[in-house]
Amino acid sequence: MSGAVRPPKRVQNVFVAARDPASLHGFYEGALGLPTKFRDGDRWIQYGAGNTNVALASLEEAAPATGGLVMVLEVDDFEGAPERIAAAGGQVLGLRDMGAHGAVLSLRDPEGNLLQLFRRAAPAAA
């Protein structure tokens, strides 16, 4: 592999692609004791877990995931990532721009597991 690849900054989030996040909320908050940090109706419910996040995502919000867990790794940028992913046998599924929140690059590893790279949005100019 040529050039130094910068490692992810941290695990930004792990989310569950859920058919009915609202029905799972009691379990994650009550049974597991995860405090709610943010909620976008029943589309996305995010909890604090130490220095990272755990979330429940509706299938619409989790796309392209259709179930299971998705690890989200925070990176500084996506430069060269699509090429490295393809060269290592992975598959890039697409880029989703979330405006002021940032952007995610969805991909599958060589065994088909879904994960995402998250890049924060640049700070707004003063």
Side-chain angles (χ1 to χ4, degrees):
M1 184 182 300
S2 65
V5 177
R6 287 183 284 177
K9 296 166 76 170
R10 68 184 181 115
V11 174
Q12 193 273 340
N13 199 352
V14 174
F15 68 85
V16 177
R19 289 184 305 277
D20 187 2
S23 70
L24 291 177
H25 176 61
F27 176 82
Y28 282 82
E29 186 176 60
L32 299 181
L34 294 169
T36 302
K37 287 178 64 176
F38 171 79
R39 186 165 184 168
D40 181 10
D42 292 338
R43 293 173 48 90
W44 184 270
I45 306 169
Q46 187 162 303
Y47 308 95
N51 66 351
T52 193
N53 302 293
V54 173
L56 298 172
S58 66
L59 295 182
E60 176 185 46
E61 192 66 27
T66 58
L69 298 174
V70 177
M71 180 172 49
V72 183
L73 301 171
E74 185 173 339
V75 297
D76 288 324
D77 60 52
F78 300 138
E79 185 178 336
E83 296 80 9
R84 289 191 308 272
I85 291 162
Q91 177 186 15
V92 174
L93 302 175
L95 177 67
R96 178 178 175 208
D97 186 343
M98 300 181 301
H101 291 294
V104 293
L105 182 68
S106 296
L107 59 115
R108 291 199 185 278
D109 70 15
E111 287 195 7
N113 299 299
L114 180 67
L115 58 140
Q116 294 179 325
L117 301 180
F118 169 74
R119 180 193 69 212
R120 291 189 184 279

